[in-house]
Amino acid sequence: MLQEAIFQSSVSTIITVFDPKGRITHMNKAAETILGYQAENLIGRETPLIFHDPVEVAAYDEELSIINGKRRVLLLCDGRALGGT
């Protein structure tokens, strides 16, 4: 109960909790307000694609791949590669 009160007390910081597969398991009220989504619509969903434009995510991933010298393929929940590749 105290942990939940602390979790919800932040009014200007998004706090989300994820399981090992990257699915949202819990989020605070500030996350709902700032992101414009209700918790029940996000719990169980994967990120970051629910918060960002897939094209933007793919571009950032490409930038990180160049910086790190590694090529990754980001997969959507349905198994398709992000960006259609």
Side-chain angles (χ1 to χ4, degrees):
M1 196 174 214
L2 177 60
Q3 288 178 342
E4 181 66 19
I6 293 168
F7 185 80
Q8 296 296 348
S9 68
S10 174
V11 295
S12 62
T13 302
I14 295 172
I15 302 174
T16 52
V17 180
F18 303 92
D19 70 12
K21 293 185 178 182
R23 293 180 300 233
I24 298 172
T25 60
H26 200 69
M27 61 189 281
N28 67 345
K29 294 290 182 189
E32 290 184 324
T33 301
I34 294 167
L35 297 172
Y37 294 97
Q38 296 297 308
E40 62 264 14
N41 296 323
L42 297 182
I43 301 297
R45 299 208 41 208
E46 295 179 15
T47 64
L49 297 178
I50 60 173
F51 299 124
H52 301 285
D53 177 357
V55 174
E56 186 179 291
V57 172
Y60 185 62
D61 182 61
E62 181 68 26
E63 183 179 329
L64 290 176
S65 295
I66 292 168
I67 291 168
N68 295 320
K70 297 177 183 177
R71 180 72 178 123
R72 299 182 314 151
V73 176
L74 296 177
L75 298 178
L76 299 169
C77 297
D78 63 7
R80 292 180 295 132
L82 185 61
T85 59

